[in-house]
Structure formats: C-alpha cells, structure tokens
Amino acid sequence: MSVSATPAESPPAAPMDPLALIRSRRYVVLLVMTALLGIPISAVAFGFLALVSELQSLTYTDLPRGLGFDGTPSWWPIPLLTLAGLLVALTIRYLPGEGGHKPAEGLVAKGAPSAAELPGIALAAVASLGMGVVLGPEAPLIALGGGLAVYAVRSVKRDIQPNASAVLGAAGSFAAVSTLLGSPLLGAFLLMEAAGLGGVMMGVVLVPGLLAAGVGALIFTGLGSWTGLGTYSLVLDHVPHADRPDIAGFGWALAVGVAAALLGTGIRRAALFLQPRVERRRVAATALAGALVGVAALVYAEGTGKAASDVLYSGQSALGPLLAGQSGYTAAALVVLVVCKAVAYSLSLSSFRGGPVFPSMFVGAAVGLAMSHLPGLDVTSGFAMGVGAMCVAMLKLPMTAVLLATLLLGTQGLTVMPLVIVAVVVSYVLSQRLAPAAAPASLPATGAP
C-alpha cells in the first residue's frame, strides 16, 4: 500500500556544497567584488592609522612644546588620559554600538557592525589610541573594515544573500589589517583562528580574504611610499643571534610559559572584574581609569629614568626598539616596566576601546627580556618565548601566538620556534586551567519526551 508523504514528512533540504560554490560563477563575481572593496577599505585603514599616529605626536610632543615646556613632563599623561576617558565614555554612552568591541573579553569575531555603529567605533578608538591608552588598533580596524565592506555592498545591492555578505565582511576585515602584523598572512591567520574557521568552509572564506589582504598590502605599501609615513606595520629590524635550543632552553620555556600564564590571567581577571563596575558609572569611572594609566606611566618614568612612552600606547612601534636597545635596561627596570605596563593594560582593557594583541606582545617581550638576565637564556629566545606565551595567555589563540612570536624574528625565529611552541603550550594549558569556570547552562524543565 503506497502512502503519500505529507509536508511534515518531506525530506530536509540538502546542505550547501562548499566546493560547488567555489566552482560557481557567483564565486568568481564574489572574488572580483572582494578585490575592488580591498582598495578603498585598506585606504581608509591607512588613514585611520595615520590619524592615530598624528594625534599621538600632537598630544605628547607638539602640545607640551606649544605650552612652553622643554619636553613632555612625566606627569603629562595623567590629565591627557583623564580627558581621553571622558571622550570615550561619552562616545560609548551616546552613540550606537557602545564604541564597539570590549577588549577585556578577548579578540572575538562577532560579525560586521551596522553602518550606524561605525562612527562610534571610530571615535572611541581614535580617542583611546590617540591619547596613549594601552590598547592596539587591530580590533577597531577589523570592525571598521567588515562594517564598511557590508555597508558598501548593501548600498549597491540590497538583496545580497547573508552568506555572501558575511564573506565580504570578513574580506573587508582582512584588507583592513593586511600589513598591521608585518605580513598579510599573519593577519589572515589571526582572523581565521579568532573566528574558528575550519574544514572546507575555511577555503570558501579564506580565498576572498587573502585576495583582499593582498590588495590591502599593496595599497598600504603604495600609500606609505607616496606619503612618506610608512606602512604602520610591525617590523623588527635588529634581531640578535639566538642560541640553538638545548635542555636549559627547554627548562626556561617551561618557566616562561608558567610566568606568562600567571601574569596574563591576573591582567585579564582584573580587567573583567573592573569592567562591570566601570559600566555602572561610565563617565566618572572611565576618566578615573585614564588617570590611573597616567599614574602608572609616571611611576615608571620617575622610578627608572626611562620614557613614559614605554608604558603608554599599544607597544607596536616600541617592540623593535625594546629588543634592539635591551642592553640599556637593567633587570630591575624591566621588572618595573612589566608591572606598570600590566597595570595600565588591565585598566585600559576594562574601560577603553581597542585591541588586546600588541600590548600582550610587549608585556611578554619585557618578561622574556627580564628573565634573559638570568643564566642560560639568551635575549632573542627569551623575547620570542615571552611574546608567544603572553599572547596565548591573553588571546587563547595558540597557533597565532606561535606565528607572531617566530615569523617576525626572521631566520632567528625559526631557530627558537621549538622553545616558543613549548612556552605557548604551557601557557595555554595553564591559563585555561586558571580561567574562571563558565556558569553551567540551566537545565530545561522536565516534561513529556
């Protein structure tokens, strides 16, 4: 006896075949759109970084001189960062989108923001980064690149499919951070691991993203040459020779991994503890957090005789000089730098807007250099292990941490890679163990099966 199928009994639709999508004409059109979008988005990203750099120079160099000071007073960051706190707090409170990504929650891919949220994200990031807050530009650039890409495409084609819109948004983010980490490949890998892409779908998103990153790198290089401003890329020019790994080196890798996990967990826990308290009294608390970041910079400058800029900013442009000039830092000065930078980093994570990547690299580098004053650990190995171990403690992205710590060191990075891997693994496992346990999901009410 035949039985006719009712609508409720009809078989489910077949899932989309990613390989068929790649072979389709629509995918070729998507690639062309990606390449075209990469040009203006990377130009906007370059302009954003140039604006931040000019604001930093204006607020910390030109303005004090214009007011009659011979140089920048060591107390100068306190009122300036208090003002930054007020501007950021007002932006978060009154503009849509709350200023974008909350850096204390890590680098999390949450999709492209809406067009209405883009001004608030840009203003909060410029006010934070331009006045010396200890955060990086990567998170705002990822949000701005993705949001601009989706806005541009929807302005032309309102009925674009959600999947295509998501791919184009991701490609916009790839273009915006194409050279920020020193290589388009590093930026692409950071975004892929943060988004949790894998399997065949990784290729569907990766190819447009790499194309946009390649176009963005060309635009960054061209604009940097044309304007004379450079590419704002993370570059280490003078890398000391690294010893080949030995038993003592692997022992130090364990020690660096443990130290980074403990310090990174402390920084993140403190930031997450402060974040809801800052949100309850947004304006006053953010201004106070800015003032305390300035106090940390003042303590470091007065206690060591070094520039307060070591504590301020993301540390992106200071990593190279720190490694090249490490002989000018005593072990005690490096310990004070680690403490003050960590305090300023935690306060910035809790209150301001920006990315967590570069400050984690700088703090880790200072930890590794401080430990290299002890017997059996050379400077480059300590630097690389510290960078990788602290990155993974803060970001929970182990492959990205290994690549960041090794590829940027060139041939010396290949030499120390085994030590970096050990330090990263130790730091990752221990920081996961030390992380606060997630709240258990509530069980559904019992009832009929």
Side-chain angles (χ1 to χ4, degrees):
M1 179 177 63
S2 62
V3 179
S4 59
T6 64
E9 297 170 341
S10 58
M16 181 189 68
D17 182 6
L19 294 178
L21 174 62
I22 293 175
R23 299 188 191 103
S24 68
R25 182 174 176 272
R26 290 179 300 164
Y27 196 69
V28 176
V29 174
L30 191 67
L31 291 177
V32 173
M33 294 174 64
T34 296
L36 293 175
L37 284 171
I39 298 173
I41 288 174
S42 56
V44 170
F46 183 91
F48 174 86
L49 294 173
L51 175 61
V52 168
S53 178
E54 289 300 313
L55 278 176
Q56 290 174 349
S57 178
L58 174 66
T59 53
Y60 282 93
T61 303
D62 298 339
L63 185 57
R65 289 178 181 173
L67 293 175
F69 295 102
D70 293 333
T72 304
S74 55
W75 51 262
W76 184 259
I78 298 176
L80 198 61
L81 286 164
T82 303
L83 175 61
L86 290 173
L87 294 175
V88 171
L90 294 174
T91 301
I92 292 173
R93 171 172 289 185
Y94 293 110
L95 291 183
E98 295 187 334
H101 170 76
K102 297 178 182 179
E105 298 174 3
L107 197 63
V108 182
K110 294 183 178 179
S114 66
E117 296 172 344
L118 295 179
I121 292 172
L123 287 174
V126 167
S128 296
L129 306 179
M131 295 190 182
V133 169
V134 187
L135 293 171
E138 65 282 353
L141 283 178
I142 290 170
L144 292 172
L148 287 172
V150 173
Y151 173 71
V153 172
R154 287 180 176 169
S155 298
V156 177
K157 185 177 176 60
R158 294 186 179 276
D159 60 343
I160 187 171
Q161 295 296 320
N163 288 340
S165 177
V167 171
L168 289 169
S173 297
F174 276 61
V177 297
S178 56
T179 65
L180 194 62
L181 299 174
S183 165
L185 184 60
L186 273 173
F189 205 96
L190 171 70
L191 289 171
M192 286 189 301
E193 193 172 17
L197 294 175
V200 181
M201 284 306 299
M202 181 176 68
V204 174
V205 179
L206 176 60
V207 173
L210 285 177
L211 178 60
V215 171
L218 291 174
I219 299 300
F220 265 73
T221 302
L223 288 174
S225 176
W226 178 57
T227 61
L229 297 175
T231 59
Y232 305 103
S233 177
L234 179 60
V235 177
L236 304 180
D237 293 321
H238 304 287
V239 180
H241 175 75
D243 298 334
R244 297 197 65 83
D246 54 16
I247 297 299
F250 280 98
W252 279 116
L254 296 175
V256 171
V258 171
L262 294 174
L263 180 58
T265 301
I267 291 171
R268 195 149 187 259
R269 277 181 176 255
L272 291 172
F273 173 81
L274 291 173
Q275 181 174 276
R277 290 157 177 81
V278 170
E279 291 172 349
R280 286 200 292 267
R281 297 175 178 85
R282 170 59 67 185
V283 176
T286 307
L288 176 60
L292 292 176
V293 171
V295 170
L298 172 64
V299 169
Y300 170 75
E302 293 295 322
T304 64
K306 300 290 184 180
S309 58
D310 286 351
V311 170
L312 302 174
Y313 311 123
S314 69
Q316 174 190 356
S317 59
L319 271 172
L322 178 67
L323 179 59
Q326 49 80 28
S327 60
Y329 289 81
T330 63
L334 287 169
V335 170
V336 175
L337 175 58
V338 168
V339 173
C340 292
K341 188 82 171 183
V343 170
Y345 183 24
S346 185
L347 289 166
S348 300
L349 287 170
S350 69
S351 309
F352 290 88
R353 293 296 183 262
V357 177
F358 290 113
S360 70
M361 295 177 67
F362 188 91
V363 172
V367 169
L369 291 177
M371 297 180 75
S372 71
H373 282 263
L374 299 172
L377 180 61
D378 65 90
V379 167
T380 301
S381 297
F383 180 93
M385 289 189 292
V387 169
M390 187 59 67
C391 275
V392 80
M394 296 301 299
L395 306 178
K396 304 298 186 287
L397 305 176
M399 292 297 295
T400 298
V402 171
L403 290 176
L404 279 174
T406 55
L407 294 186
L408 294 175
L409 296 175
T411 56
Q412 302 303 317
L414 297 177
T415 301
V416 301
M417 183 179 283
L419 299 179
V420 172
I421 291 173
V422 173
V424 166
V425 169
V426 170
S427 178
Y428 178 70
V429 173
L430 182 56
S431 61
Q432 293 283 21
R433 291 288 300 270
L434 294 173
S442 58
L443 296 175
T446 58

